[in-house]
Amino acid sequence: MQEGETRRSPGAGGRGLWLPPALPLRAAGGPGFFTEEVTASSRHYVDRLFDPDPQKVLQGVIDMKNAVIGNNKQKANLIVLGAVPRLLYLLQQETSSTELRTECAVVLGSLAMGTENNVKSLLDCHIIPALLQGLLSPELKFIEACLRCLRTIFTSPVTPEELLYTDATVIPHLMALLSRSRYTQEYICQIFSHCCKLRHWHSCGFKSSPQPLLCANGPDHQTILFNHGAVQNIAHLLSSTSYKVRMQALKCFSVLAFENPQVSMTLVNVLVDGELLPQIFVKMLQRDKPIEMQLTSAKCLTYMCRAGAIQTDDNCIVLKTLPSLVRMCSKERLLEERVEGAETLAYLIETDVELQRIASITDHLIAMLSDYFKYPSSVSAITDIKRLDHDLKHAHELRQAAFKLYASLGANDEDIRKKIIETENMMDRIVNGLSESSIKVRLSAVRCLHSLSRSVQQLRTSFQDHAVWKPLMKVLQNAPDEVLVVASSTLCNLLLEFSPSKEPILESGAIELLCSLTQSENLALRVNGIWALMNMAFQAEQKIKADILQGLSTEQLFQLLSDSDVNVLMKTLGLLRNLLSTRPHIDQIMSTHGKQIMQAVTLILEGEHNIEVKEQTLCILANIADGTTAKELIMTNDDILQKIKYYMKGKPIMAANHKRDPVWEYFNEVPLPVGKTGMRAKCKQCNKEMQGLVTQMKQQHEKCSFSGGSCVEDDERNMSEHAGPLGESILKIQDSENYPPSRSSSFFYSFRVICQ
C-alpha cells in the first residue's frame, strides 16, 4: 500500500451538483487501451459523487479511494468516466466539509500514483491551481493532503516544473507552511528538490553533470528559492527527529548548491545547533548512516567544492567525501548506488589533477570499475527475481557511469591513462560502447575516448591497434549535438600529425563532414570543425589543402573569420597558417585566393581584436612573405606595409597596460646576448628552449602536460615548436582547458623575412 492511500472507516452522506463530461477514452491509456471494459462498478463509483446526500458523497469518495489502491486499471477507468473534474469541484467548494475535501485530495493523489498518462489527464484538468488554492485553507489535514498530492504530481517526469513558479505568491507561502508539521516539511522539501532546475546549459566541453540542466527564461529556480529564504528555512530541518524530513532537506540542499557559488558560499557559513553545515554533512557520511544519506551528503559536499565554497585539498573532501564515493562503487552496493556514486565522483574530480590521482589509487578504483561491465554476473548474489530483472534492464546505466568516471580519472595524468587502457578489455568496451543503443552510454564512451585521446602514446598504440576511428566516424554520421560535440573533439586529436589514424580518417571522407560542422549553429561544433581542419592541414599535401579550401569555400572561410566568437576566429587563423606553409603551397594558394586573404588580414589588423588574434594574423603574413611569388602581395600593398611598420615600432612584446600572459608561469625567461632583440623562454618541465611567442609557448605547455614532460624529438618536430617565418604551421591537441586570452606578442621575429 503506497503512502497517501491508507484505508479509513466509512462515513455517510453525499451531495449532488452537476455532471461533468467524461474525458476522451484515450486520455488515460492511449489508443486502444479501453474497449467496452469500463465496468458497471466503475461507473457506480462516479455516479455516487453526484448523490444529493453529502454523507453519501463522502462515503462514495472513501469507497473510491479503497477501490483504486494498487489498481491502475480501476484508476484509468475512473479517469475516463470523468471522476477527476467532479473530485476537483468538490475539493474547491467551500460548502464541502473538510473531511470530504481531504478525501478528494487523497483520491486525486492516488490517481496520480498510477501511470504517466494518469498524471497527464490530471494536469489537463488543471489540478495544480486547485491544489495550490487548497493550501490557503486553515485546516492542517487538508493542507497535508493537498501537499502530498502535489508532491506526487511534481515528482512525475511529465509535469513541467514551471507550474510551481507561475504564481509568485506560491513559493513564499510554501516557505511559511514549512513550520506547520513534519509532513509539510517532508512534502515541501521534496517538491522543491524536484522542481529546482538550472537556467544555464553545458556546452560540449567535457562535463559530467549528475543533475538535470534545464530551465525557462527568467531567474533560475535556484535563485528564486534562495531569494525566498530557502537556505534559512530548510537548514534547521537537518536536525529533525524524522529521517524522511532530514533526507528531503538534504536533497534540497544538493540541488540548490549544484553549480551555484552564491548558494554554496552561503551554506558554508550556516550554523545548525552550533555546527556548521559542512560539519553536519560530514557526520552524515559516516558508515552507520543509511546509504541514501551518505550519498546525498557526499553530493552536497561535492557541489559545494565544485562551486568553489570548499577547497579541493580540504580534509572533508580528500579524507571524507572522495573515499565515501569510492566506497559506493563497490560491487556490494545496489546498482542505483553504484551509478550515483560513480557519477558524483566523476564530477568531483573532473577538473582537479590531485583528486584524480588520489581517486585512482583509492581501493583499486580503476580495477573496481571493470566490474561495472560484468553486471549482473552469472554468479550474482541477487536472489530477488524482481531485483534481477530490474538490474538487467538498467545495466547500461552502470556502463555509462563507468565510462564517465574513467573519463574524469584520465583527464590529465598519463600514468592514470595507461592504467585505464591496460584494464581488462578496456578498448573493446569503449568501441562497443560507441555503438550501444543507449544515448547515455554512447555519450559517456565518447567522453572516455576523448579523455584518453589526449595521450600521445595511446594515439600511436592502443587507438591504432583497435581502429577506434571507424566507430567514431560512424557516431559522427548521425548523432545528436551533445554526442557530436564530444565526438568531434576526439576527432581533433585523432587528426594530429603523429596519430596513425589521420590517414585513414582522411580517406573516409572526413573533410566534407568537418566542413559541414563549421556551418553549424552550435558554437562548440563550429570550433571543433575548424580545429580538426586546422590539425588536418598541418604539414599536409597540396591535394588535402586544396580539398579543404574547396570544401569550405571562400565565402564560408571569411564568414568564420568574421565570427563573433574568438575561439572560432583563432582556429580559423590557425587553419590559414597551416594552409600557407611550404613555399610551393603558399604560392599556389595565394595565386588563387590571395586577394581575399589579404583583404581578410587587413580587416583583422584594423579591427578591435585582442593581441593574440593579431599575433596570429601577423604570423600568417610572415608565412606569405616566405613564398616566392606570394610575397609580392605584401610588397605591393602599402596598407599592409604600413601596418607591419606600426607593429614593429618600439617593443610590442608587452603592450601598454597588458600583463604578461599566465602561460609564463610554466617557463623561465632566457637572457639574450647583447645586441639581440626579442625574447626566449625555457620550459620548466622539460627544459626545452624556444622563442618567446605566447602561442608557441602554449602549444609547448599543452604537449608537455600530455606527455608527462617526456618530449621526444619526433613530437617536437611534429608540434612545430620553433616559431618562425619559414612556412610556419601549428598543431594543437584538443583539450577541455581554456587558457585566458594572451596579453603579449612578439612580432619582430616573425617579420625578419619581410624586412630583408
Side-chain angles (χ1 to χ4, degrees), residues 518-538:
T518 66
Q519 302 177 33
S520 172
E521 294 182 1
N522 186 309
L523 172 60
L525 286 178
R526 290 204 306 278
V527 171
N528 289 347
I530 200 69
W531 194 328
L533 288 172
M534 180 184 77
N535 284 352
M536 185 183 290
F538 177 76

Side-chain angles (χ1 to χ4, degrees), residues 601-659:
V601 167
T602 302
L603 289 174
I604 292 174
L605 291 178
E606 289 178 346
E608 295 294 327
H609 298 289
N610 63 42
I611 291 177
E612 193 170 19
V613 169
K614 294 193 175 183
E615 179 186 29
Q616 283 277 26
T617 308
L618 290 164
C619 288
I620 290 173
L621 283 177
N623 286 10
I624 295 172
D626 189 50
T628 303
T629 58
K631 67 172 63 180
E632 291 302 315
L633 290 169
I634 296 177
M635 301 307 296
T636 57
N637 189 323
D638 290 337
D639 191 21
I640 289 291
L641 290 173
Q642 288 299 318
K643 286 179 172 55
I644 293 171
K645 182 179 178 182
Y646 167 77
Y647 284 108
M648 290 178 65
K649 283 182 178 179
K651 297 181 66 177
I653 293 173
M654 295 295 292
N657 299 322
H658 284 297
K659 298 179 180 178

Side-chain angles (χ1 to χ4, degrees), residues 144-343:
E144 289 175 350
C146 289
L147 284 172
R148 186 161 53 245
C149 186
L150 283 167
R151 181 272 311 269
T152 304
I153 292 172
F154 275 118
T155 54
S156 170
V158 301
T159 305
E161 297 84 5
E162 286 302 318
L163 292 177
L164 183 66
Y165 303 92
T166 303
D167 187 340
T169 64
V170 170
I171 300 300
H173 186 64
L174 289 174
M175 293 293 178
L177 290 175
L178 277 170
S179 61
R180 295 295 298 273
S181 73
R182 70 181 183 88
Y183 295 110
T184 62
Q185 293 168 351
E186 176 189 343
Y187 302 147
I188 291 173
C189 284
Q190 197 168 357
I191 290 170
F192 285 164
S193 62
H194 278 83
C195 296
C196 185
K197 299 293 185 289
L198 291 172
R199 182 165 56 86
H200 65 278
W201 53 277
H202 282 312
S203 64
C204 165
F206 173 51
K207 282 278 186 185
S208 45
S209 161
Q211 289 287 338
L213 301 175
L214 258 156
C215 183
N217 294 329
D220 59 56
H221 301 158
Q222 289 176 324
T223 301
I224 294 173
L225 294 175
F226 178 79
N227 289 342
H228 283 94
V231 173
Q232 294 77 12
N233 285 302
I234 295 174
H236 73 278
L237 302 183
L238 292 174
S239 60
S240 171
T241 56
S242 167
Y243 170 76
K244 289 184 177 180
V245 172
R246 294 200 304 275
M247 269 310 308
Q248 295 306 328
L250 199 56
K251 290 179 179 179
C252 219
F253 280 134
S254 73
V255 297
L256 285 171
F258 181 65
E259 294 203 341
N260 193 313
Q262 182 184 26
V263 173
S264 296
M265 291 294 185
T266 303
L267 291 179
V268 168
N269 299 310
V270 171
L271 283 171
V272 177
D273 294 338
E275 280 189 297
L276 290 171
L277 271 188
Q279 296 172 339
I280 295 176
F281 293 154
V282 168
K283 284 186 177 180
M284 291 179 171
L285 287 174
Q286 293 173 0
R287 298 193 186 203
D288 61 341
K289 296 294 189 292
I291 296 298
E292 179 188 28
M293 179 172 284
Q294 293 182 47
L295 263 173
T296 311
S297 299
K299 288 170 72 172
C300 288
L301 290 166
T302 293
Y303 300 159
M304 291 167 69
C305 177
R306 284 298 305 269
I310 301 176
Q311 296 300 312
T312 56
D313 59 354
D314 192 293
N315 285 344
C316 74
I317 298 297
V318 178
L319 302 181
K320 298 294 183 180
T321 307
L322 189 149
S324 295
L325 290 172
V326 172
R327 194 169 66 249
M328 295 302 155
C329 299
S330 168
K331 60 183 178 182
E332 282 76 30
R333 302 262 61 87
L334 294 177
L335 181 146
E336 297 89 343
E337 296 163 358
R338 298 173 75 184
V339 170
E340 193 169 1
E343 289 189 337

Side-chain angles (χ1 to χ4, degrees), residues 458-476:
Q458 301 307 329
L459 284 174
R460 288 173 164 170
T461 54
S462 300
F463 277 51
Q464 178 65 9
D465 295 341
H466 293 81
V468 296
W469 66 270
K470 292 181 180 179
L472 184 64
M473 290 298 292
K474 288 183 180 179
V475 169
L476 285 162

Side-chain angles (χ1 to χ4, degrees), residues 73-84:
K73 184 177 180 181
Q74 186 71 279
K75 292 176 183 179
N77 284 344
L78 291 172
I79 291 175
V80 168
L81 290 170
V84 174

Side-chain angles (χ1 to χ4, degrees), residues 357-424:
R357 290 170 180 162
I358 294 171
S360 69
I361 59 174
T362 302
D363 289 349
H364 307 286
L365 177 62
I366 293 177
M368 187 191 303
L369 288 176
S370 66
D371 290 334
Y372 277 47
F373 299 94
K374 309 171 186 176
Y375 187 83
S377 65
S378 57
V379 292
S380 175
I382 300 176
T383 55
D384 186 337
I385 298 301
K386 289 186 177 179
R387 163 57 63 173
L388 182 60
D389 180 63
H390 170 273
D391 286 2
L392 285 171
K393 291 179 180 178
H394 294 84
H396 68 278
E397 295 181 14
L398 277 174
R399 296 193 293 275
Q400 67 93 14
F403 282 136
K404 192 177 290 187
L405 183 46
Y406 275 137
S408 287
L409 284 166
N412 295 284
D413 191 281
E414 183 66 20
D415 290 335
I416 297 177
R417 293 191 193 111
K418 188 172 184 293
K419 290 178 182 178
I420 294 173
I421 290 289
E422 292 173 351
T423 303
E424 178 185 3

Side-chain angles (χ1 to χ4, degrees), residues 29-60:
F33 187 80
F34 294 101
T35 55
E36 299 299 325
E37 297 186 20
V38 179
T39 64
S41 63
S42 296
R43 192 177 301 278
H44 172 67
Y45 285 120
V46 179
D47 291 342
R48 293 173 66 186
L49 299 179
F50 298 91
D51 194 288
D53 186 343
Q55 289 302 314
K56 290 183 178 180
V57 174
L58 174 60
Q59 184 61 51

